[in-house]
Amino acid sequence: MLLCAILFAATSTFAEDPKQLDPADADSSVAVVTDERTTLAMLKATGIERSQFKLVADGSEQQTSPSAITDSPHANLSAFESTIKPMLERHCIDCHGPDTAEGNVRVDTLDPDLVAGADTDWWSEIFAVITKGEMPPPGDSELNDSDRQQLVDWLSAELQTASIVRRRSGGVSTFRRMTRYEYNHALQDLLGLPFEFATDLPPEAHSEDGFQNSSDLLHLSVSQFETYHRIARAALRRATVTGEQPPTLYWGISMKDAAQREWSKQDKLINDLEKKLKDNPEKLAEEREKLQRSFDVPSGVAYYKNLSSDRTATTQWDYGGAKFAFAPQEHPVEIPDKYDCVAILPVGQHPRLIIELGNQLPDEGLMRVTVRASRVKAESEYIPSLQLLFGWQASNEGRALLRVSKED
């Protein structure tokens, strides 16, 4: 089991200008600072005043949390005697009884009082193997799904009760499931994969004191265990390589190839104009000048530029059955050391450069994207940033665009 240590910080809210806060409106839960910044010691003092875990030796503080005034939980021994014990005798005694004690475990001698007894850890192990279907072994017992769920429900409830009692008595409870974020980080660390594994788990409720990892709230039902188990199996499938290695696809997309599509459109417009006005040279010159001006890049949009000729063209893309898609290759493509054509993304209006790969992407796998980029030399020390987004479009209505990383 991988344990995750989480650091929690309790904060108080203060006025932006402490001098504007009226001391007459202050109480013990607000720190008033009139002429200096709030220090760490002052924040700690305020946190202690507001904490429900404050211990008051002189008895002046009589307020208690609702959980402290309820009846003390107790073990459900009647359910054990009437239902659980006969079930264990039918399905477990042959392998874990007086004649045979496989694994050095005898269920007939375990204390059924999980709240105050000494065998709670053994019951916790039994709970684990029962919920995973490891015990009783398939073929050695006729424990049906209904009986198994009844046994799991009793163990889950008793372990939860033991957890509550242990916490109230000042001990540290370990009988709880992992939180959503703990489970996600545990799988990431164990498997060495950066995926978000726990997205199917619902978020935890907050305790009275604002924490999400309170064992009082983190019980484990049958359906929850099945969800955790399903996520773990899915994570292992992603981490485990089986079968033949699928072919790797490579794309090597230069801005020269991307720009050529736009320049071809410009060349076609010029050729059509020359054919139309070939008998009128003056009109041709006039219209050609207008056409050339229309090729000028509007301010703020992404565009291609030939560094040798200074020729430019605005980047274009629209949905049209993947007609703008670049074809993949079977071998890696080297990024050239020198190039004459670039794509320029001006600062200020979030310009986008779209590179389409079509429907050639595999359904599963990793995609690695390498971009050669640089900023235009300038006197300013401003450092531009880039964001990588991944999108798809199946029709005019069905499309999506997702940011790949939270970092630029």
Side-chain angles (χ1 to χ4, degrees):
M1 179 64 69
L2 182 65
L3 301 180
C4 300
I6 307 297
L7 177 64
F8 290 90
T11 60
S12 301
T13 302
F14 298 90
E16 294 183 0
D17 184 359
K19 297 180 180 180
Q20 296 179 359
L21 188 62
D22 187 357
D25 295 333
D27 56 23
S28 60
S29 65
V30 179
V32 180
V33 184
T34 58
D35 56 358
E36 60 181 6
R37 287 181 175 270
T38 304
T39 65
L40 177 60
M42 298 172 69
L43 286 174
K44 288 182 177 180
T46 302
I48 292 175
E49 290 296 326
R50 300 184 64 180
S51 174
Q52 293 186 13
F53 295 104
K54 176 185 176 184
L55 299 178
V56 181
D58 58 5
S60 59
E61 182 67 43
Q62 299 297 329
Q63 182 180 359
T64 57
S65 64
S67 60
I69 60 176
T70 56
D71 296 335
S72 298
H74 57 277
N76 188 0
L77 298 179
S78 60
F80 176 82
E81 292 294 335
S82 62
T83 305
I84 303 303
K85 183 178 180 179
M87 191 184 305
L88 295 175
E89 291 175 348
R90 290 195 304 270
H91 300 287
C92 303
I93 292 298
D94 289 345
C95 297
H96 301 284
D99 298 330
T100 303
E102 295 184 3
N104 295 322
V105 179
R106 288 186 56 179
V107 296
D108 60 320
T109 60
L110 292 180
D111 189 344
D113 187 349
L114 276 69
V115 175
D119 296 325
T120 306
D121 289 342
W122 280 112
W123 285 112
S124 181
E125 293 294 329
I126 292 174
F127 173 78
V129 297
I130 290 292
T131 51
K132 289 187 288 187
E134 297 176 356
M135 292 292 171
D140 293 351
S141 171
E142 298 180 357
L143 182 65
N144 56 42
D145 292 340
S146 178
D147 289 343
R148 184 184 298 274
Q149 182 167 347
Q150 193 171 13
L151 179 57
V152 168
D153 287 344
W154 180 80
L155 281 170
S156 177
E158 293 302 288
L159 288 171
Q160 177 68 4
T161 302
S163 173
I164 295 173
V165 171
R166 181 172 294 194
R167 282 199 61 194
R168 292 182 179 178
S169 63
V172 178
S173 173
T174 58
F175 310 125
R176 70 166 179 87
R177 61 177 172 86
M178 300 181 78
T179 64
R180 179 182 182 181
Y181 59 85
E182 288 173 339
Y183 195 58
N184 186 60
H185 291 315
L187 289 177
Q188 288 179 343
D189 291 343
L190 288 171
L191 301 178
L193 297 175
F195 306 123
E196 296 295 328
F197 293 104
T199 53
D200 290 342
L201 292 175
E204 278 73 34
H206 287 78
S207 68
E208 298 170 0
D209 304 286
F211 295 102
Q212 289 183 298
N213 61 345
S214 172
S215 60
D216 287 346
L217 302 176
L218 295 175
H219 59 278
L220 186 66
S221 65
V222 175
S223 60
Q224 287 173 323
F225 184 88
E226 291 174 349
T227 302
Y228 276 76
H229 186 255
R230 174 175 54 80
I231 292 175
R233 292 299 297 269
L236 288 175
R237 284 195 296 269
R238 299 191 73 173
T240 305
V241 177
T242 59
E244 297 182 1
Q245 180 178 351
T248 301
L249 300 179
Y250 302 91
W251 278 265
I253 303 169
S254 69
M255 293 302 97
K256 181 178 180 180
D257 294 337
Q260 186 58 48
R261 298 178 174 182
E262 305 306 324
W263 287 329
S264 297
K265 297 177 186 178
Q266 294 178 359
D267 293 339
K268 184 178 185 303
L269 291 175
I270 293 175
N271 291 334
D272 292 343
L273 181 63
E274 290 176 344
K275 291 179 180 179
K276 180 180 179 180
L277 301 176
K278 63 180 180 178
D279 297 330
N280 190 343
E282 293 182 0
K283 183 66 173 178
L284 175 59
E286 180 182 350
E287 293 298 324
R288 182 166 183 167
E289 184 179 355
K290 291 181 181 180
L291 187 58
Q292 288 288 357
R293 286 199 301 266
S294 70
F295 297 155
D296 292 342
V297 175
S299 175
V301 299
Y303 63 95
Y304 303 110
K305 182 177 181 178
N306 187 303
L307 299 179
S308 299
S309 64
D310 287 336
R311 185 178 184 181
T312 62
T314 303
T315 61
Q316 301 287 338
W317 183 88
D318 59 27
Y319 173 71
K323 64 182 179 182
F324 291 102
F326 289 89
Q329 304 177 31
E330 296 181 356
H331 304 286
V333 180
E334 297 293 334
I335 299 179
D337 295 330
K338 297 181 179 180
Y339 41 86
D340 290 333
C341 185
V342 297
I344 298 179
L345 283 69
V347 176
Q349 298 186 19
H350 305 290
R352 289 181 179 178
L353 174 64
I354 297 178
I355 301 298
E356 184 175 345
L357 305 181
N359 59 352
Q360 300 296 320
L361 288 174
D363 293 333
E364 296 183 11
L366 293 176
M367 174 186 287
R368 291 184 174 90
V369 179
T370 302
V371 178
R372 171 168 288 179
S374 64
R375 66 169 179 164
V376 176
K377 293 182 179 180
E379 296 179 358
S380 172
E381 294 299 323
Y382 170 76
I383 303 296
S385 63
L386 291 174
Q387 294 178 5
L388 179 64
L389 299 99
F390 182 82
W392 61 91
Q393 183 161 346
S395 67
N396 289 333
E397 301 299 330
R399 56 186 178 269
L401 187 63
L402 304 175
R403 186 170 175 178
V404 173
S405 172
K406 295 180 181 179
E407 302 294 333
D408 285 2

